[in-house]
């Protein structure tokens, strides 16, 4: 009995130690810095309590950045039904489905810097392919400065995010659809269920866990979105396309207000946990009611 206990403790010591060292300790230090006025350079700092949290919540740039973050979340969430539909289509025995399964993940594996440069070229207002194409088909009225117009710059950036991550979501949905036994489809077909009824009563309940994962990734990704807006517009024009993460990083390393940036990082972490919990609660309640 003693040997078994020693063996279990030995196996758990390393992962628990790494967890404490690389997750718990940095989080505690981050919370400690969030209660100070540290500028990130000096050796000393003063404790200011929750002043940084109150200051962050009163800053208009914070709320503007969060509204941009939520635009990513909402548009990605609206696209989920189409991603599920495409996964169902790819699972069906259709011509060239293997080819589409292969190429649909390509945007996700392309480096984010390369994606940013690709779309910076595509959105170029002078000789960019998008405006050139609109001119060629007689839609000159649709031509815009895609990255410098404050009214549409965020939609242009969200389109890049959709192009990059939709394929990854579809592959996850496809894995969920393929995990459903074919017996259920055959029984439903014998009972006279059409394709829409099969999706509603077989596919959606069968991939509920995958939907939960996708929504969690959606919330986490939307609140932490950084590389695309930073590399393409650097949060501009002005701060119109800035996100919460960009503003936090600028606060820490550009404005040397590390204590305030730490408070914003804690706020971001709390938001991800709270919204993920609420989302999972709603999905489970809905699943229990429908079952």
């Amino acid at each position: 009995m003693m040997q078994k206990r020693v063996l279990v403790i030995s196996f758990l010591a390393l992962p628990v130690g790494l967890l404490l060292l690389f997750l718990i300790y940095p989080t505690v230090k981050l919370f400690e810095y969030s209660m100070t006025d540290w500028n990130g350079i000096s050796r000393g700092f003063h404790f200011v309590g929750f002043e940084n949290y109150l200051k962050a919540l009163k800053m208009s740039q914070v709320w503007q950045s969060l509204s941009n973050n939520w635009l990513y979340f909402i548009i990605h969430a609206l696209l989920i039904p189409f991603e599920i539909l495409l996964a169902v289509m790819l699972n069906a025995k259709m011509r060239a489905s293997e080819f589409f399964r292969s190429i649909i993940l390509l945007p996700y594996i392309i480096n984010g810097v390369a994606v940013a440069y690709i779309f910076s070229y595509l959105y170029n207002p002078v000789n960019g392919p998008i405006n050139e194409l609109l001119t060629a088909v007689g839609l000159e009225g649709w031509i815009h400065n895609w990255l410098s117009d404050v009214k549409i710059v965020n939609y242009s950036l969200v389109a890049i995010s959709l192009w990059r991550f939709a394929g990854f979501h579809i592959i996850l949905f496809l894995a969920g659809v393929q995990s459903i036994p074919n017996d259920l489809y055959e029984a439903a077909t014998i009972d006279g269920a059409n394709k829409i009824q099969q999706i509603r009563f077989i596919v959606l309940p069968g991939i509920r866990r995958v939907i939960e994962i996708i929504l969690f990734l959606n919330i986490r990704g939307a609140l932490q979105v950084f590389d695309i807006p930073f590399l393409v517009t650097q949060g501009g024009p002005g701060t119109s396309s800035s996100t919460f993460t960009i503003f936090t990083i600028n606060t820490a390393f550009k404005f040397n207000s590390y204590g305030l940036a730490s408070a914003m990082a804690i706020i971001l972490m709390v938001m991800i946990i709270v919204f993920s919990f609420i989302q999972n609660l709603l999905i489970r309640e809905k699943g229990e009611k429908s079952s």
Side-chain angles (χ1 to χ4, degrees):
M1 187 64 184
M2 180 60 72
Q3 288 181 341
K4 184 178 180 181
R5 187 172 299 174
V6 171
L7 188 64
V8 170
I9 293 174
S10 301
F11 277 111
L12 288 178
L14 181 60
V16 170
L18 292 175
L19 184 70
L20 291 172
L21 182 62
F22 294 109
L23 179 63
I24 305 300
Y25 176 72
T27 304
V28 172
K29 291 298 291 183
L30 184 69
F31 181 73
E32 179 189 354
Y33 290 139
S34 72
M35 309 286 279
T36 70
D37 61 352
W38 190 39
N39 59 13
I41 300 174
S42 63
R43 293 187 176 183
F45 50 75
H46 301 92
F47 282 93
V48 295
F50 289 95
E51 184 179 320
N52 286 327
Y53 291 90
L54 296 176
K55 185 178 180 181
L57 295 176
K58 292 178 181 177
M59 297 176 74
S60 60
Q61 297 96 326
V62 169
W63 295 105
Q64 181 192 10
S65 300
L66 281 176
S67 68
N68 293 337
N69 285 96
W70 285 113
L71 187 65
Y72 286 84
F73 172 76
I74 292 170
I75 295 180
H76 269 283
L78 291 175
L79 196 71
I80 284 178
F82 298 100
E83 292 171 345
I84 294 174
L85 189 60
L86 281 173
V88 173
M89 292 173 63
L90 288 175
N91 187 52
K93 294 179 180 178
M94 56 180 287
R95 183 177 295 180
S97 62
E98 292 291 337
F99 170 74
F100 288 117
R101 288 182 197 178
S102 302
I103 66 167
I104 204 164
L105 194 61
L106 279 179
Y108 180 72
I109 63 177
I110 295 177
N111 181 273
V113 178
V115 171
Y117 279 107
I118 289 171
F119 277 89
S120 295
Y121 168 68
L122 293 175
Y123 284 140
N124 192 310
V126 179
N127 57 358
I130 293 179
N131 282 348
E132 291 290 331
L133 178 63
L134 292 174
T135 302
V137 298
L139 295 174
E140 291 88 351
W142 290 19
I143 292 176
H144 290 285
N145 294 322
W146 303 100
L147 300 177
S148 58
D149 188 338
V150 296
K151 295 181 180 177
I152 62 172
V153 61
N154 284 305
Y155 295 99
S156 302
L157 296 175
V158 173
I160 301 174
S161 180
L162 290 174
W163 179 84
R164 189 179 179 197
F165 293 105
F168 176 62
H169 294 172
I170 291 170
I171 291 299
L172 290 181
F173 283 131
L174 179 61
V177 171
Q178 289 178 336
S179 69
I180 300 174
N182 285 327
D183 297 348
L184 294 178
Y185 295 110
E186 293 171 0
T189 303
I190 293 173
D191 290 340
N194 57 35
K195 292 296 181 184
I196 296 177
Q197 290 172 325
Q198 290 182 16
I199 292 174
R200 180 181 176 185
F201 296 107
I202 297 177
V203 174
L204 291 181
I207 63 172
R208 198 183 73 188
R209 296 297 181 192
V210 181
I211 294 175
E212 287 182 16
I213 293 172
I214 295 292
L215 287 174
F216 171 74
L217 293 176
N218 192 9
I219 282 185
R220 190 184 65 85
L223 288 174
Q224 293 183 328
V225 63
F226 168 74
D227 55 351
I228 290 174
F230 184 78
L231 292 170
V232 177
T233 65
Q234 295 190 344
T239 57
S240 56
S241 64
S242 178
T243 61
F244 193 82
T245 304
I246 291 178
F247 187 62
T248 301
I249 291 175
N250 285 337
T251 301
F253 301 109
K254 193 173 181 180
F255 307 130
N256 292 332
S257 184
Y258 204 89
L260 177 60
S262 300
M264 294 167 64
I266 293 291
I267 292 173
L268 176 64
M269 184 173 63
V270 171
M271 282 194 298
I272 291 174
I273 294 173
V274 170
F275 285 115
S276 298
F277 176 77
I278 294 173
Q279 175 182 274
N280 290 336
L281 196 64
L282 292 174
I283 290 177
R284 286 176 185 174
E285 283 186 356
K286 190 172 182 179
E288 289 172 358
K289 287 180 181 178
S290 60
S291 61

